[in-house]
Amino acid sequence: MNDSLDMLGASIIGGGILLMLLMVSLNFNSKTQETKLSEISQLSVVGVGKILSNDFNKLGYRASGNKILSITNNSISFLGDINNDGTVDTVTYSTYQQGNELELKRYIGSAQSSSWSFPIKSLAINGVDSTGSSTFAISSIKGISFSILLSKKTFSNSQANIGSYWKRIFYPKNL
């Protein structure tokens, strides 16, 4: 009888230890996935930042007259020779809703082939005047403040959000 109780007790303790090891393994896998998603999110925002830097540093390049065509808190259109091919392009950044996702869309001219979109959580675009104050008056703009927030839930039932925030103020030479 004691042998049977010893075997039952050992089985219960062994099962408990096995269950604890399984939970530690699942938690470790979950944290590893969250870290990887965070890394991917940060790399994505760096890639978008490089494109934005290229475009906004060429704002007004080879253009005459008004170089900024329009600006709101979630869109901007401006002129500039983006490809350095001697042709002044119209570049537009704006947001639109794609299902439940907010997307940042970039157009060069009116060609669909030269556009791309990127999922974001929020976007803020502001003009900056010579005193550093925010403005939407095109004649007063000396710089452009651009902020992007990326955020994504790691699992459908998880409360953890993975994201990146990118902000930069551009002071194009040609404004």
Side-chain angles (χ1 to χ4, degrees), residues 93-111:
Y93 282 92
S94 63
T95 58
Y96 73 99
Q97 200 73 25
Q98 179 73 22
N100 291 339
E101 297 276 327
L102 185 64
E103 299 264 337
L104 172 64
K105 184 99 173 172
R106 172 189 182 241
Y107 290 102
I108 296 181
S110 60

Side-chain angles (χ1 to χ4, degrees), residues 110-159:
S110 60
Q112 286 285 7
S113 62
S114 60
S115 69
W116 60 258
S117 62
F118 190 77
I120 60 174
K121 180 73 171 177
S122 68
L123 170 72
I125 301 172
N126 292 309
V128 178
D129 65 12
S130 59
T131 64
S133 300
S134 179
T135 183
F136 289 108
I138 293 174
S139 60
S140 302
I141 294 175
K142 301 296 179 198
I144 307 292
S145 171
F146 206 99
S147 303
I148 300 174
L149 175 64
L150 305 178
S151 179
K152 184 172 272 195
K153 284 198 179 286
T154 55
F155 301 105
S156 60
N157 60 352
S158 175
Q159 296 300 317

Side-chain angles (χ1 to χ4, degrees), residues 58-67 78-81 88-89 174:
K58 291 186 177 181
L59 188 153
Y61 183 56
R62 292 190 176 146
S64 58
N66 283 342
K67 293 159 175 119
F78 61 88
L79 300 174
D81 185 4
V88 176
D89 303 303
N174 302 306

Side-chain angles (χ1 to χ4, degrees), residues 6-175:
D6 287 345
M7 289 298 286
L8 181 64
S11 296
I12 291 173
I13 291 173
I17 290 173
L18 187 61
L19 186 61
M20 286 190 306
L21 287 173
L22 180 65
M23 293 305 290
V24 166
S25 176
L26 288 175
N27 188 32
F28 179 73
N29 287 339
S30 172
K31 294 301 179 189
T32 301
Q33 185 177 9
E34 287 178 11
T35 302
K36 193 64 173 172
L37 285 172
S38 176
E39 180 183 351
I40 291 169
S41 175
Q42 290 172 10
L43 289 173
S44 296
V45 80
V46 167
V48 170
K50 286 180 181 180
I51 294 169
L52 289 168
S53 294
N54 178 63
D55 288 356
F56 280 94
N57 285 329
K58 291 186 177 181
L59 188 153
Y61 183 56
R62 292 190 176 146
S64 58
N66 283 342
K67 293 159 175 119
I68 298 175
L69 303 175
S70 67
I71 184 169
T72 65
N73 62 346
N74 61 2
S75 70
I76 185 169
S77 291
F78 61 88
L79 300 174
D81 185 4
I82 301 301
N83 303 329
N84 203 21
D85 60 2
T87 304
V88 176
D89 303 303
T90 301
V91 180
T92 303
Y93 282 92
S94 63
T95 58
Y96 73 99
Q97 200 73 25
Q98 179 73 22
N100 291 339
E101 297 276 327
L102 185 64
E103 299 264 337
L104 172 64
K105 184 99 173 172
R106 172 189 182 241
Y107 290 102
I108 296 181
S110 60
Q112 286 285 7
S113 62
S114 60
S115 69
W116 60 258
S117 62
F118 190 77
I120 60 174
K121 180 73 171 177
S122 68
L123 170 72
I125 301 172
N126 292 309
V128 178
D129 65 12
S130 59
T131 64
S133 300
S134 179
T135 183
F136 289 108
I138 293 174
S139 60
S140 302
I141 294 175
K142 301 296 179 198
I144 307 292
S145 171
F146 206 99
S147 303
I148 300 174
L149 175 64
L150 305 178
S151 179
K152 184 172 272 195
K153 284 198 179 286
T154 55
F155 301 105
S156 60
N157 60 352
S158 175
Q159 296 300 317
N161 283 326
I162 301 297
S164 300
Y165 182 73
W166 186 87
K167 180 176 181 174
R168 181 160 176 207
I169 299 176
F170 298 98
Y171 294 100
K173 297 176 189 176
N174 302 306
L175 257 181

